[in-house]
Amino acid sequence: MSEIPAPSITDTKISAVVLGIVSMTAQIILIREFMAVFYGNELSIGFLLFSWLFWVAAGSSTGNFLLKRARFSVFRHLIVVNLLVILSTMASVKFVRQLLSIPYGEFVAFFQLMLFSFTLLALPCFLVGILYAFLSRHCAQAKDCHGDPSAVVYTFESLGSTAAGVLTSLFLLKWFDHSVIIMLLLAGSFIVFAVLNKKRLFFTAAFCCLLLATLAPKIESMLWKQYWRSVGTGFELLHTSQTRYGRLSVINWAGEKYLYINGQKSTSLPDPISAQTTAALVMTIHPSPASILLVGGGLSGLAPEMARYPDATVHYLHTDREAFLTAFSFLGQDQKKNWDKPNLFRIFGDGRTFLQHTNKKFDLIVINTGRPATATANRYYTAEFFHLAQSKLAGNGILALCHVPSAENFLSREMLAFNASVYSTLKSVFPSVLAVPGDDAFFFAAQSPDMLSSNPQDFYLRFAGRKIECEFFHPAMFSTLLDSSRIEFLRSKLESYSTVRINRDFKPVCYFFDFLLWNKLVRGTGNIVWQLNRLKSRFLLTAVCTILLLWIGSSLLYRRKPLSHTIALFTTIMLVGFAGMTLNVILILAFQTIFGYVYEWIGVALGLFMAGMTAGSWFINRNLSLLPHRKILIWILLLLQTTALVLVPVFDLLYRFPSTILFLLLVIWCGSLIGAAFPPACALYFSHRKIRKPGSIYAADVLGGAAGAFLCGGLMVPLLGFIITLAVVALLCAGAVVVLTVFRNET
């Protein structure tokens, strides 16, 4: 058999950068595609990341022998194949309802999401893992390779991921559809191959890809129209676009227009019945509201309806300017004219950021941002936000939470837990809280008990005194809305609930409860998922300590066996991957909480985390010979443990004194620690392996990351909060340090 020529180290490094660009771009786009049909809940995102990383780990492990004798030219073929697979995966997402046989009008259940995403992401992610192992093997064969081959590929793959994360989030997603970005990526790959291989055929292929990119938006539009036809009979897609905050869709159904964001109904365009009823209730809860802040939900017509009330100045704040302007264009001329009032002011930006920086005091702050189905929406239901709102209310001011999921006469255990959390969180800040029941409940909070009347007669007199005529609301409806027996029933249920969880910025339990409601609605039962609510921090910490003690004990018992060394190092790098993904998720959630949900900045944060990984891996790989590898890894683990323990106090400091630059430097620091752990772990691992399998150590790292995405991003953070989750990371790092110390004299 003829010997396979070894590639140059330059070709390998460039290929690793290309792999990183393809991997990160595909990850961003596919997750956004899934979120457009799976409602954007972070539990879903956690499992999508788990599926992605699991199959990358499987591919990396398999790639050790699958392409053992393959020539280096196989890389470019597989990159092209993978980009085509990614395009087909994007199309398949839009056929999810047909593939899973979801009836019209029914939501996709979480476990259906798990199965679908796990299956659909298998091939593209598996190929990414194979290509990493392939490049690592060829890097080892290169004569001018300095440092561990896996660490070299890891560094340059991270460099490509960094560039892709920043460029895709800040520029490409702003200008191009998803399918166009993939076609541009395919064309760019062909150009790189043309330069490396000096073949004109690749330039021709790149030109063809650019031509096809001009057709991609039309094809993507047709696929989205097909998807919405599968959602409901008679659903007609009028408009769809990708904003910085998600997939925006305007639907026509039976002559009525509806705005959907990430697959969830946001509002009717307009919704005069709901708007007039809501305005009547919130504008008469206060005796004489003059200065009013409305956050979200104004496109239904609520903002203009509130501005109809005399002596009221309404400041309407909407997060997404592009979404507002797009939805506004579908309103009728009469509805558009309603917005042209001298006492109605539109503001675009984040609600919490606005309240932090404004010097105004409001008589009424109305939160109408929708259910806390994500960590982003949950920011308006936390104790910290309620304290902020309290500081911006006038002395007799009232805070109103509108359209909170509830029930009129019977509260299931999931609904009761959710409503009790909202109620108790408000009570922890405001002395007086009033809950008005309904399928969508209203919660009102004030400093003075005298400000919150539940007497329908008071509301009737205030409404009559303002001389407002409404087509869809009559003041007699106050008697139904404010039925005293139902108000007392709800109050007694909420105040007698025994296992209340306060919703906080760094312990966002409300959006987990909202997920329980979604699961109950779709599946009709949720016993298995409900049991997660019983998870206590002391039980988790005890379990983690027990596992670590067993690991340390077995290491002491079998420390003279070479296989024990290999297992210990393999487990350690898995823990580093787990810690890396956990820190990544927590940093993104903390960024949302502190600075507001600005999508492109989250992409920048993710890119800078990868930049830190690149810098850490490169620096340690260049200086790997200066100290014993085990000592380097132990010091990195100790720094990682310390960082996990101080993150929450640092977040608190940044919340009081916001600084985007300092936060992004923190992101780079955390990423550098994760990247720095990889080279010494590789060197130690391969020193105990007679047969070198470059993909194995990367597979362990990615598999640990998969566990971190699922357990921490989906469960531990919302249920137990940042402090307990980071305490688990610190404990795992401490256990790894002890195990590595046990083996220090055995190498």
Side-chain angles (χ1 to χ4, degrees):
M1 183 179 293
S2 60
E3 184 178 351
I4 298 175
S8 70
I9 190 63
T10 301
D11 288 355
T12 305
K13 289 178 179 179
I14 293 174
S15 299
V17 171
V18 171
L19 177 61
I21 292 173
V22 170
S23 177
M24 178 58 73
T25 306
Q27 184 181 105
I28 293 172
I29 287 177
L30 286 178
I31 287 178
R32 286 166 66 102
E33 287 284 321
F34 274 99
M35 288 302 97
V37 297
F38 288 134
Y39 325 120
N41 186 281
E42 274 79 3
L43 292 175
S44 304
I45 295 175
F47 192 81
L48 289 169
L49 287 173
F50 162 76
S51 301
W52 180 279
L53 296 171
F54 176 88
W55 286 114
V56 170
S60 181
S61 181
T62 305
N64 285 319
F65 57 86
L66 197 61
L67 299 177
K68 189 174 182 179
R69 299 293 300 171
R71 293 179 176 273
F72 193 72
S73 58
V74 169
F75 174 83
R76 61 174 178 260
H77 298 311
L78 288 181
I79 279 288
V80 172
V81 168
N82 201 20
L83 286 168
L84 295 176
V85 168
I86 291 166
L87 281 172
S88 64
T89 302
M90 288 169 52
S92 300
V93 171
K94 300 173 184 66
F95 288 91
V96 56
R97 302 184 68 87
Q98 291 96 325
L99 293 172
L100 296 179
S101 301
I102 307 296
Y104 286 138
E106 185 173 305
F107 287 99
V108 181
F110 180 66
F111 292 106
Q112 291 173 313
L113 158 66
M114 292 171 61
L115 177 63
F116 183 76
S117 61
F118 192 75
T119 303
L120 201 61
L121 291 176
L123 185 54
C125 300
F126 191 79
L127 287 173
V128 169
I130 285 178
L131 288 170
Y132 179 89
F134 177 78
L135 289 178
S136 297
R137 181 172 293 279
H138 279 274
C139 185
Q141 296 172 358
K143 297 179 181 179
D144 49 352
C145 178
H146 302 289
D148 183 85
S150 291
V152 171
V153 174
Y154 181 88
T155 300
F156 283 90
E157 193 261 354
S158 298
L159 181 62
S161 297
T162 300
V166 175
L167 293 175
T168 302
S169 298
L170 280 182
F171 302 106
L172 296 180
L173 288 171
K174 183 178 179 180
W175 296 329
F176 302 112
D177 290 336
H178 290 169
S179 55
V180 175
I181 294 174
I182 297 299
M183 294 304 299
L184 292 176
L185 196 57
L186 191 57
S189 299
F190 278 126
I191 292 172
V192 171
F193 299 150
V195 173
L196 292 178
N197 296 276
K198 298 179 176 59
K199 292 184 178 179
R200 294 182 179 179
L201 179 63
F202 291 123
F203 283 114
T204 304
F207 180 73
C208 292
C209 290
L210 293 175
L211 288 178
L212 291 173
T214 61
L215 302 175
K218 293 183 179 179
I219 297 173
E220 191 165 353
S221 177
M222 292 171 56
L223 291 174
W224 279 116
K225 288 181 179 179
Q226 178 282 137
Y227 166 75
W228 283 106
R229 284 195 295 267
S230 71
V231 173
T233 305
F235 271 38
E236 178 190 2
L237 179 65
L238 300 179
H239 171 85
T240 185
S241 60
Q242 191 74 39
T243 75
R244 298 170 182 174
Y245 302 90
R247 171 66 60 175
L248 172 72
S249 303
V250 178
I251 305 298
N252 178 47
W253 185 51
E256 299 291 332
K257 298 182 182 68
Y258 300 90
L259 174 65
Y260 281 77
I261 298 177
N262 282 336
Q264 278 193 322
K265 181 183 173 183
S266 177
T267 185
S268 301
L269 296 172
D271 188 359
I273 298 176
S274 174
Q276 291 185 8
T277 303
T278 301
L281 189 59
V282 300
M283 293 299 289
T284 53
I285 187 68
H286 193 287
S288 55
S291 180
I292 302 159
L293 175 66
L294 171 62
V295 181
L299 282 166
S300 64
L302 178 58
E305 285 295 332
M306 292 172 65
R308 291 177 60 193
Y309 287 70
D311 301 322
T313 300
V314 179
H315 299 82
Y316 173 58
L317 196 148
H318 198 94
T319 303
D320 191 345
R321 177 192 291 268
E322 184 179 348
F324 178 88
L325 295 177
T326 299
F328 189 80
S329 67
F330 285 92
L331 295 176
Q333 290 301 317
D334 291 339
Q335 286 84 30
K336 290 180 180 178
K337 288 180 181 178
N338 290 337
W339 286 84
D340 296 329
K341 290 182 169 65
N343 62 330
L344 176 57
F345 301 92
R346 282 178 278 183
I347 306 167
F348 296 104
D350 176 66
R352 286 185 62 150
T353 303
F354 174 80
L355 282 174
Q356 282 177 324
H357 293 92
T358 186
N359 293 321
K360 294 180 180 179
K361 295 283 186 175
F362 299 96
D363 297 315
L364 190 60
I365 296 178
V366 182
I367 305 302
N368 194 30
T369 54
R371 60 194 304 162
T374 67
T376 302
N378 183 71
R379 300 167 64 241
Y380 295 100
Y381 290 81
T382 65
E384 289 83 357
F385 173 72
F386 295 155
H387 277 293
L388 175 62
Q390 183 188 52
S391 69
K392 301 302 178 180
L393 286 171
N396 61 347
I398 295 175
L399 172 68
L401 302 181
C402 300
H403 302 296
V404 179
S406 187
E408 289 198 30
N409 301 308
F410 173 76
L411 297 173
S412 66
R413 62 184 181 184
E414 293 86 359
M415 189 71 77
L416 181 57
F418 171 69
N419 279 247
S421 180
V422 174
Y423 183 82
S424 298
T425 305
L426 277 170
K427 289 284 286 185
S428 70
V429 178
F430 291 92
S432 182
V433 176
L434 171 66
V436 178
D439 290 335
D440 289 330
F442 289 79
F443 287 82
F444 300 102
Q447 284 295 104
S448 172
D450 298 334
M451 290 301 300
L452 295 181
S453 170
S454 60
N455 187 346
Q457 188 65 21
D458 293 337
F459 287 78
Y460 182 92
L461 292 174
R462 291 170 186 171
F463 186 85
R466 289 161 194 173
K467 299 179 181 179
I468 301 294
E469 293 184 4
C470 296
E471 183 180 357
F472 300 100
F473 180 82
H474 189 276
M477 296 169 63
F478 282 124
S479 298
T480 303
L481 293 171
L482 298 162
D483 183 87
S484 59
S485 61
R486 292 194 296 119
I487 288 177
E488 178 58 28
F489 168 78
L490 180 59
R491 186 196 64 79
S492 63
K493 282 287 186 181
L494 298 180
E495 291 193 350
S496 62
Y497 191 71
S498 57
T499 56
V500 170
R501 291 173 180 259
I502 301 297
N503 190 38
R504 301 189 182 279
D505 281 345
F506 300 143
K507 191 176 181 180
V509 297
C510 264
Y511 87 83
F512 178 77
F513 288 141
D514 187 85
F515 163 74
L516 293 179
L517 291 174
W518 171 39
N519 187 68
K520 180 83 171 181
L521 173 68
V522 174
R523 306 306 299 171
T525 181
N527 290 325
I528 296 177
V529 181
W530 173 256
Q531 299 306 316
L532 296 172
N533 184 43
R534 298 185 177 182
L535 181 64
K536 304 295 182 183
S537 58
R538 62 179 180 272
F539 297 150
L540 177 65
L541 294 175
T542 301
V544 171
C545 290
T546 302
I547 293 171
L548 289 177
L549 288 174
L550 291 174
W551 184 30
I552 294 168
S554 63
S555 299
L556 284 168
L557 188 61
Y558 299 104
R559 66 183 182 275
R560 297 187 182 277
K561 295 187 176 182
L563 181 60
S564 296
H565 301 187
T566 302
I567 294 174
L569 290 167
F570 193 85
T571 307
T572 298
I573 199 62
M574 284 185 66
L575 294 181
V576 171
F578 179 91
M581 182 53 66
T582 302
L583 291 178
N584 209 341
V585 169
I586 285 178
L587 286 166
I588 289 175
L589 292 177
F591 191 93
Q592 289 176 331
T593 299
I594 297 170
F595 300 104
Y597 184 49
V598 186
Y599 193 84
E600 66 268 34
W601 276 104
I602 292 176
V604 170
L606 182 61
L608 291 179
F609 190 89
M610 297 299 298
M613 291 177 62
T614 304
S617 178
W618 175 84
F619 178 79
I620 295 297
N621 200 43
R622 291 293 298 267
N623 299 280
L624 201 56
S625 61
L626 299 180
L627 288 172
H629 302 155
R630 191 179 308 279
K631 184 176 290 187
I632 294 175
L633 187 55
I634 287 174
W635 276 107
I636 292 170
L637 288 168
L638 289 172
L639 285 172
L640 189 57
Q641 179 189 24
T642 304
T643 300
L645 291 174
V646 303
L647 266 185
V648 171
V650 171
F651 291 156
D652 286 331
L653 186 64
L654 286 170
Y655 183 79
R656 293 185 179 90
F657 307 100
S659 171
T660 306
I661 294 176
L662 290 179
F663 190 94
L664 295 178
L665 288 175
L666 180 64
V667 170
I668 294 173
W669 167 254
C670 292
S672 67
L673 292 178
I674 302 302
F678 195 77
C682 286
L684 285 169
Y685 179 76
F686 291 130
S687 68
H688 293 90
R689 299 286 293 181
K690 294 181 180 179
I691 301 175
R692 296 175 65 86
K693 296 181 178 179
S696 298
I697 197 71
Y698 181 71
D701 177 60
V702 174
L703 195 60
F710 183 61
L711 295 176
C712 293
L715 299 176
M716 290 172 61
V717 168
L719 279 175
L720 303 175
F722 285 14
I723 293 177
I724 299 300
T725 303
L726 290 169
V728 170
V729 172
L731 281 173
L732 293 176
C733 291
V737 167
V738 173
V739 170
L740 289 174
T741 305
V742 166
F743 288 115
R744 71 185 186 278
N745 296 322
E746 305 299 328
T747 57

